[in-house]
Amino acid sequence: MDKYNDNLIVQLTFEFSLLIMDYCDILEEMGKRKLAWQLFDAGTSIGANVNESQNAESKADFIHKMKIAAKEGDESDYWLRLCKYSKKYPNCDDLLERVDIINKIIGKIISTSKGKN
């Protein structure tokens, strides 16, 4: 992580991935394996794609990787909302707030990179 200390979106998505891992462990312990796997894949993929974008071969490649991160962010939001509105899942309000912030930042990065302010 030291390599990207000055990069806010890399930091936020890395921290989010760690929190998703912990939340998914709780879901696994509760026997909610299928949803835990879906959320784990989407939630950690945001940061993986943001991190990969830092070594993009071109501006187009950067935007493409950030768009994938945006899709994974939207999917993470979906799974977390399912958890929030189900009576049998642990509280995930903090994760929903974090993914909302991450999604907004990624959206702004994409639009700025395309030259649309």
Side-chain angles (χ1 to χ4, degrees):
M1 196 62 194
D2 294 333
K3 183 177 177 183
Y4 302 111
N5 275 342
D6 293 333
N7 190 320
L8 178 63
I9 194 61
V10 171
Q11 289 177 5
L12 290 175
T13 57
F14 184 82
E15 292 166 4
F16 183 74
S17 291
L18 292 172
L19 293 171
I20 284 292
M21 290 166 63
D22 291 342
Y23 188 76
C24 288
D25 283 347
I26 293 167
L27 294 179
E28 285 268 347
E29 290 169 6
M30 295 175 68
K32 314 285 187 197
R33 287 178 185 83
K34 289 183 181 182
L35 195 135
W37 295 340
Q38 293 284 342
L39 179 58
F40 184 93
D41 286 348
T44 58
S45 185
I46 303 167
N49 282 287
V50 166
N51 194 65
E52 189 175 338
S53 76
Q54 303 308 296
N55 295 308
E57 296 176 11
S58 65
K59 186 177 183 178
D61 187 37
F62 174 82
I63 292 169
H64 176 71
K65 286 172 177 37
M66 292 303 282
K67 282 183 174 181
I68 294 170
K71 288 179 182 182
E72 297 295 342
D74 287 343
E75 184 178 343
S76 297
D77 179 76
Y78 175 79
W79 297 122
L80 288 167
R81 282 186 295 113
L82 283 179
C83 292
K84 177 181 174 78
Y85 291 105
S86 175
K87 296 175 185 172
K88 298 179 181 182
Y89 286 78
N91 185 287
C92 62
D93 289 338
D94 178 59
L95 290 170
L96 276 165
E97 288 175 27
R98 286 173 185 261
V99 79
D100 183 55
I101 291 167
I102 288 167
N103 287 340
K104 287 177 182 174
I105 293 170
I106 291 172
K108 182 65 175 173
I109 289 168
I110 292 168
S111 67
T112 301
S113 297
K114 288 179 168 182
K116 298 176 184 175
N117 292 328

